[in-house]
Amino acid sequence: MAKLIGGITTSHIPAVGNAINNGLTQTPYWKRFFDGYKPAHQWLEDNPADIVIVVYNDHGLNFFLDKVPTFALGCAAEYFNEDEGWGLPPRPPFPGDAEFSWHLAESLVAQEFDICTCQEMKVDHGFVNPIRVLFGDQEQYSQKFIPLAVNTVQHPVPSAKRCLDLGVALGRAIESYPEDVRVTILGTGGMSHQLQGERAGFIDVDFDLECMDKIASEPEWFTQFSNAEIMARSGSEGIETIMWLVMRGALRADAEIVHKHYHAPISNTGAGVLVLDNQ
Ligand code: DHB
Ligand code: FE
């Protein structure tokens, strides 16, 4: 049977792609941010996965504002990236595993999570940069990647509780797959940030640190907040942190905290790395 071996949270900011492409990762601005991933790299090396589920939000590349599914699962054999600015060339296509995706879709719908299934899905920085920062740029990845998009862009967006519940259902879906594959799940985005309006640049370090602790050890704590409260505390785009709950819900309650790192500001965000071992 499939095994969910761990979960990792990570920033997905577009500037990460620019830093990697232009050799800036060891500059004073970026060094501490990128160094925060070293223990995650070690854990990934010690605990290789066959399949990596990337929980992220699309920012307008695949879904524009006229049609926005709340939850959308990639069910394709590969996923294409497109240009998003910074003058960066798109990354080569990422390999998927359509058979595994369809198993997840069947199981999630059977558990009453009626997700949108996508046999074509373009992936933006929310998906690409977590893979780049955790797995590096590779000609041929040994892992397969599964995009799971959560709407955090066009309101109404799902509640933190709905995301945690989706994670629980996803954990069951993963571990009911009959093949002996090892699976890791990523929760991307966050933490506090606001990209527009009067509070553009808003970051709350204390709230971010509390969220990191609680999401690791007591994720139900985060579900006390309405989406309006999350945005009041952590900025309009701080709502992206609800995606961490999907990752967390998929893991066991007693998953072991292997690594925790926070850095702010980086671009316009507070950035948190959590590595949770589910074995
Ligand atoms: C930034 C953060 C995001 O989550 C995003 O999608 C785009 C930009 C930023 O901090 O610059
Ligand atoms: Fe984002």
Side-chain angles (χ1 to χ4, degrees):
M1 300 295 284
K3 209 148 173 31
L4 178 58
I5 60 174
I8 302 181
T9 68
T10 171
S11 168
H12 67 214
I13 52 173
V16 158
N18 188 56
I20 293 171
N21 277 43
N22 290 300
L24 305 175
T25 62
Q26 293 305 301
T27 59
Y29 181 77
W30 285 102
K31 183 174 172 22
R32 186 172 180 278
F33 170 85
F34 279 99
D35 283 355
Y37 287 90
K38 283 183 181 168
H41 296 154
Q42 188 61 53
W43 186 87
L44 287 165
E45 196 181 313
D46 296 342
N47 298 276
D50 306 295
I51 297 176
V52 180
I53 299 174
V54 185
V55 183
Y56 78 109
N57 65 292
D58 182 87
H59 300 75
L61 177 69
N62 193 68
F63 304 114
F64 200 60
L65 299 182
D66 57 335
K67 300 181 196 72
V68 185
T70 301
F71 299 119
L73 181 69
C75 296
E78 55 185 347
Y79 301 96
F80 291 84
N81 177 222
E82 278 186 10
D83 175 48
E84 301 181 73
W86 286 99
L88 307 178
R91 300 298 309 157
F94 293 86
D97 182 336
E99 198 179 311
F100 182 75
S101 290
W102 284 114
H103 166 81
L104 295 183
E106 290 200 12
S107 174
L108 288 174
V109 173
Q111 296 179 74
E112 300 179 351
F113 272 94
D114 306 319
I115 40 125
C116 174
T117 52
C118 303
Q119 296 181 61
E120 281 181 9
M121 199 161 171
K122 283 184 259 180
V123 287
D124 73 6
H125 61 271
F127 174 93
V128 170
N129 286 340
I131 293 172
R132 297 191 73 185
V133 83
L134 287 168
F135 299 95
D137 291 343
Q138 296 180 31
E139 280 299 307
Q140 200 125 42
Y141 284 100
S142 58
Q143 306 89 343
K144 311 277 194 201
F145 298 96
I146 313 286
L148 174 55
V150 175
N151 170 31
T152 64
V153 168
Q154 166 113 306
H155 293 268
V157 311
S159 67
K161 176 170 188 309
R162 187 71 176 149
C163 289
L164 189 63
D165 291 347
L166 171 62
V168 172
L170 186 60
R172 287 193 202 113
I174 293 163
E175 297 215 321
S176 64
Y177 190 62
E179 310 272 319
D180 289 333
V181 291
R182 289 157 61 88
V183 181
T184 295
I185 180 167
L186 312 184
T188 80
M191 300 185 80
S192 59
H193 66 300
Q194 174 147 344
L195 300 178
Q196 72 268 300
E198 279 177 20
R199 286 208 306 171
F202 178 85
I203 290 176
D204 186 330
V205 171
D206 292 335
F207 186 65
D208 284 351
L209 292 173
E210 190 173 18
C211 286
M212 281 193 84
D213 279 346
K214 297 287 193 187
I215 290 173
S217 60
E218 192 195 323
E220 292 76 15
W221 173 88
F222 198 69
T223 67
Q224 73 179 290
F225 299 114
S226 68
N227 286 343
E229 286 167 333
I230 294 169
M231 290 187 291
R233 296 290 297 271
S234 65
S236 52
E237 279 70 44
I239 194 66
E240 286 183 351
T241 310
I242 61 172
M243 295 183 291
W244 290 23
L245 276 279
V246 181
M247 178 284 292
R248 186 64 188 89
L251 305 179
R252 296 157 40 151
D254 63 351
E256 183 196 345
I257 303 166
V258 172
H259 174 58
K260 200 190 287 184
H261 183 266
Y262 179 79
H263 185 84
I266 198 77
S267 196
N268 299 294
T269 74
V273 185
L274 269 178
V275 179
L276 301 174
D277 190 306
N278 202 44
Q279 294 164 92

